[in-house]
Amino acid sequence: MGHSGPVSALSFRSDRLISGGFDGRAILWDQDGATARRIARFHDGNVTAVAATEDGFVSAGQDGRVALWRDGQDHPVRQTSAMTSPVSALTVSDREIVAGFFDGRLLRLERATDRERIVQAHQGRVSGLVFLPGGDLVSIGADLRFARWNADDAQVLGAELPGLPNGMAATGDTLVVVFADGLVRLIADDGTPMSDRFLSDRPLVAVAASATGVATAAVDGTVWLLDLPLLTLRARIAASEGPVWALALSDDALFTAGADGAIRRWSVRDGSAVGAPTMPLARAPQDGSRGAEVYQACAVCHALEPGDHSRAGPSLHGVFGRPIASAPGYAFSDALRGMDIVWSPDSVAELFTQGPEAYTPGSRMPDQRVTDPADRQALVDYIARHSR
């Protein structure tokens, strides 16, 4: 435990684990992930992405800024100006730092010269970034596009994706992409689909990969360890009562983190837990209704008690009649603050009709829909009963 709120990002390299949280902190941990060696405070709002480097780490945030930290330095040795959109993805090579943004742009920062270039890569959120062994950059986006870029910012390959991607990792030349439809897919470096496996009817929201295995997490807190190349199941872990937003793999450990603010360590051999347990999140009221059943997917991110912002999303207490992004004590994105929406049974129903990507673009909420009108009505009735 080290963050005073949800943990949204993890990265592991050699002897360093880096975490980023909704509290604006980036923390450097020792190799076992048990002792904080350094706490860095730079970003306004959520630290949305981190990447470990050979002599420090990179952090990126909801404030649209990227910061390069070096061991032994109290302040960033390099920082970018704030963009107009939050950072949604980050990757690092020996030559470059690349950040992807919710507005579809890429910021490519040359580490040796500090030269910056902007590339309009996607229409909508950049969902994942990786460098291939040969040096090319791959990006995927909410526009359902795969794009491969060379060092001169030219797109050398492009392909359609079969669904909405929520994250990407690489193992050699093979890309591992997780999707909102609950599938994990292996994709060749030219965008050609290779194999896939259905894991959950909940959106998959995080992924990490090594030379031999893959870890992926769903919005309900379930994590799967899969063996390559066939995506065979090694272990299934009930990692958290709330969503797992971030994963990191070392040779012998899997690290998970998410809405409850805890970073947990698991054996990659069999998924067994390492370390002491933490307290689970309080459960939503059970009144025997269909609405209570539908709300379980919401409960992993939203409490109904006043002022409880300990999960990934704000408390829904008193939500009806409240303007969007106005609940005190929660760090909302600028995209939501600029919207003219007042939450009501009708607007909440519309959110789950269209999905967050369409109704509230720029939200951190995973894209999901409640397609049955009766279930939507049951959901808003349940919220109305228990949010007052």
Side-chain angles (χ1 to χ4, degrees):
M1 300 294 293
H3 291 276
S4 58
V7 179
S8 47
L10 289 175
S11 177
F12 186 90
R13 176 171 175 164
S14 301
D15 64 343
R16 60 185 67 231
L17 175 72
I18 314 297
S19 63
F22 278 43
D23 57 2
R25 300 175 181 177
I27 301 179
L28 168 64
W29 303 86
D30 65 12
Q31 185 171 359
D32 293 331
T35 303
R37 291 162 48 184
R38 178 181 185 183
I39 299 176
R41 296 177 179 88
F42 171 76
H43 296 281
D44 296 324
N46 183 18
V47 177
T48 54
V50 292
T53 65
E54 68 283 352
D55 60 354
F57 62 93
V58 180
S59 63
Q62 177 184 344
D63 57 5
R65 296 190 291 175
V66 178
L68 173 61
W69 305 82
R70 197 160 289 149
D71 293 341
Q73 301 285 337
D74 292 333
H75 303 283
V77 297
R78 178 76 174 90
Q79 63 191 60
T80 64
S81 300
M83 301 279 277
T84 57
S85 179
V87 175
S88 55
L90 181 71
T91 191
V92 174
S93 72
D94 293 339
R95 194 174 71 88
E96 277 189 288
I97 298 167
V98 183
F101 294 82
F102 271 81
D103 62 7
R105 289 184 292 175
L106 304 180
L107 171 65
R108 303 187 70 163
L109 174 63
E110 293 181 7
R111 298 178 65 178
T113 65
D114 287 344
R115 179 189 172 213
E116 296 181 12
R117 295 117 59 205
I118 302 293
V119 179
Q120 186 65 54
H122 295 277
Q123 300 301 313
R125 175 173 59 97
V126 177
S127 306
L129 292 168
V130 297
F131 278 106
L132 296 171
D136 280 358
L137 174 73
V138 172
S139 65
I140 56 172
D143 55 1
L144 314 187
R145 293 289 298 170
F146 163 103
R148 180 168 167 177
W149 310 86
N150 65 18
D152 296 321
D153 302 332
Q155 183 177 334
V156 295
L157 285 169
E160 294 284 342
L161 293 172
L164 180 69
N166 279 334
M168 176 170 59
T171 174
D173 286 326
T174 300
L175 305 171
V176 187
V177 183
V178 294
F179 290 82
D181 61 6
L183 273 87
V184 56
R185 294 176 169 97
L186 300 184
I187 297 175
D189 60 4
D190 63 357
T192 303
M194 298 169 62
S195 59
D196 61 57
R197 177 172 181 144
F198 176 78
L199 295 175
S200 174
D201 58 0
R202 305 296 187 195
L204 301 180
V205 291
V207 63
S210 67
T212 60
V214 171
T216 183
V219 73
D220 65 356
T222 305
V223 174
W224 294 264
L225 282 167
L226 307 171
D227 288 323
L228 294 170
L230 300 178
L231 297 174
T232 51
L233 181 65
R234 184 190 310 170
R236 184 178 184 272
I237 305 167
S240 174
E241 290 288 332
V244 170
W245 295 124
L247 301 168
L249 277 172
S250 70
D251 290 340
D252 61 357
L254 164 68
F255 298 93
T256 67
D260 64 3
I263 300 171
R264 295 177 171 85
R265 186 182 181 194
W266 313 84
S267 167
V268 296
R269 179 177 58 84
D270 59 5
S272 58
V274 179
T278 58
M279 294 298 292
L281 294 170
R283 295 188 179 274
Q286 298 298 310
D287 61 9
S289 67
R290 175 57 181 161
E293 295 178 27
V294 179
Y295 186 77
Q296 292 313 301
C298 308
V300 296
C301 292
H302 298 279
L304 289 164
E305 293 73 28
D308 184 356
H309 303 312
S310 62
R311 311 182 190 203
S315 168
L316 298 185
H317 183 80
V319 66
F320 290 147
R322 187 168 73 204
I324 191 171
S326 65
Y330 184 81
F332 292 94
S333 68
D334 289 339
L336 294 191
R337 292 183 186 277
M339 293 179 186
D340 185 19
I341 295 174
V342 174
W343 291 121
S344 67
D346 288 342
S347 58
V348 169
E350 192 62 25
L351 170 68
F352 286 106
T353 301
Q354 297 187 30
E357 289 279 353
Y359 193 66
T360 54
S363 167
R364 292 186 293 265
M365 185 175 177
D367 198 56
Q368 52 192 308
R369 296 167 180 81
V370 179
T371 56
D372 186 334
D375 282 353
R376 288 198 300 271
Q377 187 61 51
L379 174 62
V380 297
D381 289 347
Y382 174 88
I383 295 173
R385 288 195 302 275
H386 295 287
S387 64
R388 293 182 292 208

